Amino acid sequence: MPNLTSNPIETLARLGYGARGVVYGLVGGLALLAAIGSGGQTGGSRSALQTLLAQPFGRVWLFLIALGLFGFCTWRIVEALTDADRRGSDLKGWAIRGAHLISGVIYAGLAVSALSLALGQGAGGGENRAAQDWTAWLMSKPFGLWLVGLIGAAIAATGLAFAWKAWRGDVAAHLSLPADKREWIVSLGRMGFAARGVVFVIIGGFLALAALHSSSAEVQGLGGALRTLQQQPYGWVLLALTAMGLFAFGLYGLVQARYRHIDAPDLDDAKAAVAQMKP
């Protein structure tokens, strides 16, 4: 269970890490079932959330997940604007904080989708349609093809960074772990970051192809990345390994909800820090 505190921002952050973990766990679990031929699906986050509708209390779970994802969005934005994680103001620090700010916006969109499903309003055209729509819009702007290509390269580079973190990085850097749990939690983290690295590289590749061919139809999200793996030689093995990694990252998210070190500012400090950044 998340370690809820009197600081509302920390509480939102912990609920957010837990909600993100549940989403990744759903995506990974469903993809693993698809890989071994036991049903399931190779869909993205929105598709995974939609499967909850058929479960007991599914709308309640969706509402709680939406609440958690809004909390994660809030934490990402506060973290980026106030440097709550002490990333620093050098180029690397600003790059990480910028990525977290973008992450906050993305998870806000996923939270809206979850809430829409919980309220019985559907989830729009899905993640691929949304990605293709914004790609088409961006391509219609001056230098749009170059921007799409650069975004694809940035996403692929993020995937490579995740892969590096899985191999050599300290996946427990922000976790306050009991000694007897550290080894298996680190293993979960490494599996999770490796799987995220694979899918981010593929998603970035889709965007690069879209820019190269001037076609937004090339763009695919997480579900498209998983289906691409499934279509390769021995694809069921590749999909199963990646799915297990995504499921592991889901469990790692629940660990973050409990054990992550969160030095969250109080509401007044956060407002002051944001105000200082205004011109």
Side-chain angles (χ1 to χ4, degrees):
M1 290 293 292
N3 182 23
L4 303 183
T5 72
S6 59
N7 186 314
I9 295 178
E10 181 176 350
T11 298
L12 288 172
R14 294 195 184 283
L15 291 173
Y17 280 112
R20 185 178 71 160
V22 170
V23 173
Y24 267 98
L26 283 172
V27 172
L30 290 169
L32 181 58
L33 290 175
I36 62 178
S38 297
Q41 64 179 28
T42 52
S45 302
R46 289 170 175 79
S47 299
L49 289 174
Q50 203 157 11
T51 64
L52 289 177
L53 286 174
Q55 308 306 314
F57 306 106
R59 295 189 188 277
V60 175
W61 284 114
L62 282 167
F63 181 80
L64 293 175
I65 290 171
L67 181 63
L69 291 173
F70 277 121
F72 191 71
C73 163
T74 302
W75 164 241
R76 280 301 203 213
I77 293 172
V78 169
E79 177 191 16
L81 296 181
T82 68
D83 196 19
D85 260 349
R86 306 292 187 270
R87 300 290 182 177
S89 298
D90 59 4
L91 182 60
K92 180 180 178 182
W94 277 112
I96 294 173
R97 291 165 65 183
H100 285 180
L101 187 62
I102 295 170
S103 170
V105 174
I106 292 171
Y107 278 102
L110 184 58
V112 169
S113 294
L115 184 59
S116 296
L117 285 169
L119 296 175
Q121 297 175 1
E127 64 172 12
N128 286 345
R129 178 62 179 274
Q132 289 168 3
D133 285 347
W134 75 255
T135 303
W137 174 83
L138 187 57
M139 283 181 173
S140 68
K141 306 303 177 185
F143 305 105
L145 291 176
W146 287 98
L147 289 173
V148 170
L150 286 173
I151 292 170
I155 292 174
T158 301
L160 294 175
F162 285 152
W164 175 262
K165 187 169 184 176
W167 182 38
R168 299 292 295 272
D170 184 2
V171 297
H174 294 282
L175 301 178
S176 301
L177 299 176
D180 61 332
K181 295 182 173 70
R182 183 179 181 86
E183 185 175 351
W184 69 265
I185 289 173
V186 167
S187 296
L188 279 180
R190 294 198 187 284
M191 290 175 61
F193 277 105
R196 291 185 83 202
V198 170
V199 296
F200 268 60
V201 167
I202 295 174
I203 292 170
F206 285 142
L207 280 163
L209 286 175
L212 184 64
H213 298 153
S214 302
S215 172
S216 62
E218 300 272 6
V219 177
Q220 301 287 318
L222 176 56
L226 294 174
R227 286 188 291 274
T228 296
L229 289 171
Q230 190 177 29
Q231 292 162 3
Q232 305 308 307
Y234 300 100
W236 73 271
V237 177
L238 296 175
L239 179 61
L241 290 173
T242 305
M244 286 190 290
L246 294 175
F247 187 79
F249 191 77
L251 296 177
Y252 180 77
L254 300 180
V255 169
Q256 288 178 302
R258 174 65 179 85
Y259 292 112
R260 197 184 195 281
H261 175 71
I262 298 174
D263 188 14
D266 60 34
L267 289 175
D268 290 337
D269 290 342
K271 290 177 182 177
V274 173
Q276 289 177 358
M277 297 188 68
K278 295 180 180 179

